[in-house]
Amino acid sequence: MPSKRRALQEINAGSMADIAFLLLVFFLVTTTMDSDWGLARRLPPPLDINQPEPPPIKDRNVFVVLANANDQLLVEGEILEIGQLREKAKEFIANPNDLPDLPEKKPTKVKFFGDYPVSKQVISLQNDNGTSYDLYIQVQNELAAAYSELRNSLATEKFGVTYDYLVEVNDKPKISAIRDIYPQRISEAEPKNVGGQ
Amino acid sequence: MSKFNKGKKKDSPGISTASLPDIVFMLLFFFMVTTVMREVDLKVKLETPEATEIEKIENKSLVSYIYIGEPYDTKKFGTSSRIQLNDQFAKVQDVGPYVEQKRSEVDEVLIPKLITSMKVDEETKMGIVTDVKQELRKVQALKINYATRERLKSE
């Protein structure tokens, strides 16, 4: 029996930093910080042949946005730049002065608001097969922005907070009231192929 | 005779590197937690357009991705926009089965929550995008998301 017990040798931790660095570099290289952001949309269900024709919509209730193969916009028969679309759409959706060529309003019972004149607006969007995807997204974005600006100002007027805030705190009854007044109705017509591919 | 230099020179003590592994580990854990491995090798150029009214996709496991853009290898595949599903090029008709396969992989209750994310290059023409959308409508995959980069709102 040895009289002296040998002291336990400690593991050398000097290379730990190197190993950790190696792993760190691996994760640094493979990492992608981008998360998925995007415009959420819902496609219309497929057309049913047996379905009866929907009732016609009055011209004044439809906001027609056409985009051609040269990335030009025709809005309600008027050539517009993309920067002007938002204001034009807002004016159409809200119709603040009850103009006869903008959408009609129908008093509807809405929670918190009582009888509120809700406009019967529909936005119709049609693009060509040659339209660039960038323009398409810009149009979608401007229209969505028009709705969200109107919703925000209505919510601020009524509840003192923006619509974005209501969404953040998930205040469902108030959100649905605002949505009832400004429902997002963007309809995409079946595409045309005029300008070629 | 300076007042401060007292003949004997003091050795400056070296900086202790004992806490270096801790710092590195901290960084390492940060990257390990935040990292998302790329699911596919992109074969198409992808520069998504910018938008402001965007939402974040919360549950990535419920998303099927469709990539559309100009192929990187233009000598082999030409310059017209192509669709990429998983790791390979596909035709418009393949979109339906692709979505249905994703459906069969997830739990039945989660099927209505499935999202199709379209990652499309901004220079793509709408023709091919519309074709894919029609195909998605046929298989009732109606929740879609157009992937975009964030643009700061100008007030």
Side-chain angles (χ1 to χ4, degrees):
Chain A
M1 277 287 265
S3 56
K4 242 204 296 182
R5 277 183 69 182
R6 251 168 106 198
L8 210 70
Q9 206 170 14
E10 260 185 72
I11 299 164
N12 183 9
S15 55
M16 188 153 74
D18 300 352
I19 298 165
F21 261 121
L22 201 83
L23 283 167
L24 177 62
V25 169
F26 170 73
F27 279 101
L28 267 170
V29 171
T30 54
T31 198
T32 47
M33 293 295 247
D34 62 308
S35 40
D36 281 329
W37 290 86
L39 292 166
R41 285 284 173 278
R42 181 167 271 280
L43 295 173
L47 287 177
D48 189 356
I49 305 159
N50 303 324
Q51 202 178 303
E53 285 245 330
I57 304 172
K58 281 187 196 158
D59 273 352
R60 61 179 284 197
N61 294 340
V62 186
F63 185 73
V64 184
V65 182
L66 303 169
N68 75 0
N70 301 323
D71 282 2
Q72 291 163 319
L73 281 181
L74 192 73
V75 181
E76 293 280 80
E78 204 183 316
I79 296 171
L80 280 195
E81 294 295 317
I82 184 82
Q84 301 165 285
L85 179 61
R86 190 183 302 193
E87 283 310 312
K88 185 96 178 162
K90 272 172 80 174
E91 198 195 337
F92 169 84
I93 297 161
N95 190 8
N97 302 324
D98 279 321
L99 295 175
D101 52 345
L102 293 180
E104 336 171 50
K105 293 184 175 178
K106 189 180 163 205
T108 316
K109 269 211 164 44
V110 182
K111 216 177 162 189
F112 303 114
F113 290 88
D115 268 343
Y116 194 94
V118 176
S119 89
K120 293 178 162 180
Q121 39 85 19
V122 177
I123 293 183
S124 159
L125 175 60
Q126 186 163 41
N127 52 265
D128 192 86
N129 275 346
T131 312
S132 82
Y133 179 69
D134 188 34
L135 182 83
Y136 174 77
I137 289 295
Q138 295 317 320
V139 170
Q140 289 271 7
N141 188 51
E142 290 304 309
L143 295 177
Y147 278 110
S148 101
E149 278 179 18
L150 285 170
R151 285 173 174 178
N152 271 336
S153 64
L154 181 69
T156 317
E157 206 177 279
K158 183 77 185 174
F159 306 119
V161 289
T162 60
Y163 178 75
D164 293 338
Y165 177 79
L166 291 177
V167 173
E168 217 169 282
V169 298
N170 204 8
D171 192 338
K172 287 215 172 96
K174 285 180 183 169
I175 291 173
S176 71
I178 300 270
R179 278 196 185 164
D180 284 346
I181 291 174
Y182 290 130
Q184 191 165 318
R185 292 204 202 106
I186 302 178
S187 118
E188 284 179 48
E190 304 290 322
K192 271 188 186 157
N193 189 6
V194 180
Q197 288 283 7
Chain B
M1 274 263 233
S2 87
K3 210 173 179 181
F4 303 103
N5 218 346
K6 290 266 163 72
K8 234 200 292 174
K9 246 188 161 178
K10 238 180 166 180
D11 266 342
S12 65
I15 301 165
S16 164
T17 55
S19 56
L20 188 69
D22 300 352
I23 297 165
V24 174
F25 266 116
M26 207 169 69
L27 279 169
L28 176 62
F29 286 137
F30 171 73
F31 279 100
M32 277 177 72
V33 170
T34 57
T35 201
V36 182
M37 297 283 176
R38 267 183 198 280
E39 351 31 64
V40 291
D41 275 337
L42 276 183
K43 290 185 167 147
V44 293
K45 279 182 204 145
L46 209 58
E47 188 98 336
T48 52
E50 292 181 337
T52 52
E53 311 298 310
I54 54 180
E55 290 164 39
K56 193 176 187 179
I57 300 181
E58 294 298 346
N59 201 342
K60 282 194 173 183
S61 57
L62 297 177
V63 183
S64 23
Y65 295 94
I66 296 174
Y67 305 89
I68 305 174
E70 185 184 306
Y72 276 118
D73 195 350
T74 45
K75 274 182 192 154
K76 206 167 168 188
F77 300 109
T79 53
S80 64
S81 298
R82 299 284 294 264
I83 304 167
Q84 184 190 346
L85 304 171
N86 292 326
D87 268 334
Q88 60 212 12
F89 288 119
K91 296 198 187 77
V92 177
Q93 305 89 276
D94 301 330
V95 171
Y98 171 71
V99 172
E100 265 160 5
Q101 194 209 335
K102 178 84 186 174
R103 253 184 222 160
S104 62
E105 282 167 11
V106 299
D107 203 42
E108 205 168 317
V109 261
L110 294 172
I111 286 178
K113 288 188 173 174
L114 282 177
I115 299 173
T116 313
S117 175
M118 312 236 310
K119 297 198 166 189
V120 184
D121 188 83
E122 57 187 2
E123 281 166 23
T124 313
K125 299 290 176 206
M126 276 309 288
I128 188 165
V129 180
T130 313
D131 291 345
V132 171
K133 272 160 64 184
Q134 298 293 352
E135 202 65 26
L136 288 175
R137 279 174 69 186
K138 272 187 216 159
V139 289
Q140 295 279 349
L142 302 179
K143 268 181 98 171
I144 62 167
N145 187 295
Y146 301 110
T148 53
R149 283 175 292 153
E150 190 173 12
R151 181 177 47 194
L152 292 177
K153 276 186 195 182
S154 55
E155 290 301 321

